[in-house]
Amino acid sequence: MSKAGRRPRPRPRRVTTLASTCWLLAAAVAVTIAVSAAAVVTAACPPGTCAAGQSAADPAKLSLTGVEAGQAFVAIIAVLAICGEYGTGMIRVTLTAMPRRLCVLAAKAALVGAVVLAAGTAAVLASVLVGRLALPGRGFTPANGYPLLSLAAGPDLRAAAGSVLYLTLVALLALGIATAVRDSAVAIGIVLALLYLFPVVTAVVASHSWQRHLEQASPLTAGLYIQVTVGVHALPLAPWQGLGVTALWAAGALLLGGALLRLRDA
């Protein structure tokens, strides 16, 4: 066949997916830092009116506000990691090369978890740095009872490390749901509803007792207790218990996704 008659080879979809994943990772880091910075620079702690113990302000949690926004991009990354292959049909090739389907899911979970762990660490460290530099100028000073943010302080370290783990758990939760439903739009909708609509429903419930129970069951609300360093004893769950709730959601989603992956055809 002549060169003129040859059909051009289609561009590999895996390259496109990889590029989109890189952009989403960059967006997750950028949005987390930007939202955290916006929360910090708009906070106010006037001298004489913001002493620790008289205010509900929590510098560590304030500096990590962006995690709540960045998790949406993390969830999308995890969904595309599996649904992208279903969309292109490459999942058949993957499962032919590796018939042990649970191993495929475990490998994807390890890869997604490692990528999000790295990106989350960069975003959280930058957010903490912004808080350390900017909060004193907003009145959060040692003179007002607020020590500088420092990863050498146990509560601040727990808030930062826990936020990275939280983002990783959100990614695993999204991966499990995406494996179960196999449709990117549906999976993203379910994950974002779990993360963002749960607190909305909680807020409109009239019963204080039910509100407390819903907060304890919410993967977002309970999971982000890990960021709290002020008034910890008033929380419905201890910080690590709250993160454990998110871990249970992630484990349940992965178990469901793994079971359906084994039972259904590709």
Side-chain angles (χ1 to χ4, degrees):
M1 184 181 293
S2 64
K3 292 185 178 180
R6 290 179 183 173
R7 294 182 179 179
R9 293 182 180 179
R11 293 181 63 186
R13 294 295 298 272
R14 286 180 180 270
V15 175
T16 304
T17 303
L18 179 60
S20 63
T21 299
C22 292
W23 279 110
L24 285 169
L25 278 172
V29 174
V31 168
T32 300
I33 298 171
V35 174
S36 296
V40 166
V41 299
T42 56
C45 185
T49 63
C50 192
Q54 299 177 1
S55 169
D58 187 335
K61 185 171 179 60
L62 188 63
S63 299
L64 295 167
T65 303
V67 169
E68 193 168 339
Q71 66 181 348
F73 293 91
V74 165
I76 294 172
I77 291 168
V79 168
L80 294 181
I82 184 74
C83 288
E85 291 202 37
Y86 277 108
T88 60
M90 286 300 297
I91 190 66
R92 297 186 182 89
V93 177
T94 299
L95 295 180
T96 300
M98 176 58 74
R100 299 176 64 180
R101 298 188 174 197
L102 292 184
C103 289
V104 172
L105 181 58
K108 286 189 175 293
L111 178 60
V112 169
V115 168
V116 172
L117 190 68
T121 299
V124 165
L125 288 178
S127 297
V128 171
L129 179 60
V130 170
R132 179 180 174 87
L133 295 176
L135 282 175
R138 308 302 300 170
F140 293 89
T141 63
N144 282 334
Y146 292 98
L148 291 176
L149 284 178
S150 172
L151 295 182
D156 294 342
L157 178 60
R158 184 249 299 157
S163 294
V164 176
L165 293 176
Y166 171 79
L167 288 173
T168 305
L169 290 172
V170 167
L172 296 178
L173 168 64
L175 180 66
I177 291 175
T179 305
V181 302
R182 301 195 296 187
D183 182 275
S184 56
V186 175
I188 291 171
I190 293 173
V191 175
L192 296 185
L194 279 175
L195 294 176
Y196 295 115
L197 288 185
F198 220 122
V200 174
V201 173
T202 301
V204 299
V205 172
S207 170
H208 178 72
S209 175
W210 274 103
Q211 280 186 342
R212 186 179 180 88
H213 290 318
L214 287 172
E215 287 177 359
Q216 291 172 329
S218 167
L220 184 150
T221 305
L224 291 183
Y225 288 158
I226 197 67
Q227 296 179 344
V228 177
T229 62
V230 175
V232 174
H233 297 297
L235 294 173
L237 293 171
W240 287 110
Q241 289 176 331
L243 191 64
V245 170
T246 309
L248 288 175
W249 276 96
L254 287 172
L255 287 173
L256 175 62
L260 292 177
L261 183 64
R262 288 192 64 184
L263 293 174
R264 296 183 306 202
D265 293 333

